[in-house]
Amino acid sequence: MLSWFQALMPREERFFDLFEQHAETLVAGSRALRDLLNGGNRVPVCAQEIRSQELEADAITHEAHLAVRRTFITPFDRSDIRDLITAMDDTIDQMHQTAKATLLYEVRDFEPAMRRMGDIIVQSADLTRSAIPLLRSMRQNAGKLNAFSEEITRIEDEADAVHDQGLKELFLAHRHEDAMAFIVGAEIYGHLESVVDGFEDVADRVAGIVIEHT
């Protein structure tokens, strides 16, 4: 009976707007992160841009959580809304953690594999920005949304391989002379991997919503 009643009520479209706004912060943050990984004097500037995007994302997430509590009819389950926006927010939080680590350890030079992971992060953000608006018409876009989730999984596997190879090369380069360089580099690799994992979590949340509502 409740499902029948909800189907008759107008949907609250604000949540889709918030998802899309958050996706824009992911794209902007990912591009600033990729720029940061070029190293040099722009690292602090890029870190500040990531921080700005992270703050914007936090505000959007807060608004979404408030709207969940205040809205009578939501486009899909409240828990799904909270889980999706939280997964998106966790992803940009990891971008910020990466930037903080580079500032803390005063890193200005980055490994080629780190930059490749940055490319994958930008690719994942672009895919996410393209996919999120499709949630407005899930039934019509179910195939495209499932393809998005599959592609994110594929490139996450690629990122894992890049991460592992990069970590191995870092160890071989520093095992006899500079343990601290390995420790710092390994932490940055770990943060980058967590960013990619965050996008996979977003894709998993999207896939779960599609399965439940189509």
Side-chain angles (χ1 to χ4, degrees):
M1 177 66 73
L2 179 59
S3 298
W4 176 83
F5 178 68
Q6 288 177 330
L8 294 178
M9 295 292 291
R11 292 194 314 173
E12 172 56 74
E13 299 292 330
R14 173 174 32 169
F15 294 105
F16 297 113
D17 295 337
L18 293 173
F19 291 145
E20 290 166 21
Q21 290 168 24
H22 204 301
E24 291 294 339
T25 70
L26 290 174
V27 170
S30 72
R31 291 180 178 171
L33 179 59
R34 179 61 185 85
D35 193 9
L36 179 149
L37 293 171
N38 286 327
N41 294 332
R42 281 190 52 77
V43 168
V45 176
C46 296
Q48 182 56 49
E49 174 61 19
I50 294 167
R51 174 59 174 161
S52 296
Q53 295 299 327
E54 190 261 346
L55 289 173
E56 176 67 18
D58 280 348
I60 295 167
T61 302
H62 180 67
E63 185 177 349
H65 283 294
L66 285 178
V68 165
R69 293 198 292 270
R70 295 173 177 174
T71 303
F72 181 57
I73 299 296
T74 57
F76 40 83
D77 292 350
R78 297 169 192 275
S79 62
D80 289 333
I81 292 171
R82 286 191 293 264
D83 288 348
L84 177 54
I85 201 74
T86 299
M88 296 172 75
D89 204 50
D90 288 346
T91 304
I92 199 164
D93 283 347
Q94 278 300 325
M95 295 183 201
H96 183 225
Q97 290 302 316
T98 309
K100 284 175 65 177
T102 66
L103 296 179
L104 176 63
Y105 300 119
E106 299 182 348
V107 182
R108 296 297 181 271
D109 296 305
F110 299 91
E111 302 295 323
M114 294 177 181
R115 291 192 289 274
R116 176 59 192 138
M117 291 187 74
D119 292 335
I120 291 171
I121 288 167
V122 171
Q123 182 183 3
S124 298
D126 286 341
L127 286 168
T128 300
R129 179 174 62 178
S130 296
I132 290 298
L134 302 177
L135 288 171
R136 291 180 182 269
S137 302
M138 268 186 286
R139 292 184 184 278
Q140 296 91 323
N141 294 313
K144 292 179 180 178
L145 288 165
N146 288 329
F148 155 70
S149 298
E150 292 169 2
E151 180 63 8
I152 289 290
T153 298
R154 185 193 68 76
I155 61 178
E156 193 274 337
D157 289 341
E158 179 185 350
D160 280 347
V162 173
H163 167 273
D164 292 348
Q165 183 61 33
L167 200 59
K168 180 178 180 179
E169 291 172 357
L170 192 69
F171 170 73
L172 293 175
H174 298 293
R175 60 178 170 175
H176 295 308
E177 55 186 42
D178 193 351
M180 185 55 66
F182 172 75
I183 292 170
V184 171
E187 181 171 337
I188 292 173
Y189 271 121
H191 287 306
L192 291 171
E193 184 179 34
S194 293
V195 177
V196 180
D197 289 344
F199 280 110
E200 186 177 35
D201 191 26
V202 171
D204 288 344
R205 300 295 180 184
V206 169
I209 292 169
V210 172
I211 289 170
E212 187 172 351
H213 295 279
T214 59

